[in-house]
Amino acid sequence: MPGHRGAVKLLLALACLEAAAGAGLSTGKAVNDDTCAITAASSVFQPEDRDAFVRIVLAQSRPSDQVQVEWIDPAGQLADEASFRDLPSGSRLCLVSRLSIAGFPAAQRPGAWIVRVRVNGRAAGERRFRIERSAAQASSSAIATV
């Protein structure tokens, strides 16, 4: 069945293209911009932490690619976003984005967060992380439930 083999090859080629658009993600409290490395890996943040960083490694990139980073709060709302355009071509590209926490609205939204990456409008990866309650938030919750 020659037609069947052609269909299998096409499906394999499409799977390879889709995998190339995938992104490897890691989160942390500090990053080295020179080496594009998370230097304090973490998936749990405190309200007094300055920032949450995400390191994004793209398997393939083209100058026409557009990368969107979406920071989704525990209520499922878009809390912040960053866009990357005019990327260099490469077999491996590293990007870093940050969510400001201390002194910003994110510190007042404890719970399970998601950082989601889209490449050219398509989902390329996501990573879950937490922002814990501050001592003041925890004690005000305890008072409210008494």
Side-chain angles (χ1 to χ4, degrees), residues 4-68:
H4 179 66
R5 285 189 199 144
V8 170
K9 285 181 184 177
L10 177 61
L11 288 174
L12 288 173
L14 289 173
C16 288
L17 285 174
E18 189 142 338
L25 307 177
S26 55
T27 56
K29 296 180 181 185
V31 67
N32 180 328
D33 288 326
D34 294 333
T35 61
C36 193
I38 296 288
T39 57
S42 183
S43 61
V44 178
F45 299 86
Q46 302 302 316
E48 60 272 8
D49 289 334
R50 184 174 174 174
D51 300 299
F53 292 94
V54 63
R55 176 181 180 253
I56 306 151
V57 178
L58 299 175
Q60 295 288 327
S61 66
R62 298 178 308 254
S64 61
D65 285 341
Q66 296 180 7
V67 177
Q68 184 87 19

Side-chain angles (χ1 to χ4, degrees), residues 25 54 56 67-73 76-84 97-99 113-119 121-127 129:
L25 307 177
V54 63
I56 306 151
V67 177
Q68 184 87 19
V69 180
E70 301 170 338
W71 298 89
I72 312 297
D73 73 11
Q77 301 298 311
L78 181 65
D80 202 0
E81 63 184 329
S83 295
F84 297 89
S97 181
R98 102 175 63 209
L99 172 70
W113 284 69
I114 297 172
V115 59
R116 182 176 299 137
V117 175
R118 296 182 184 280
V119 177
R122 296 181 62 147
E126 69 178 37
R127 180 95 174 178
F129 66 97

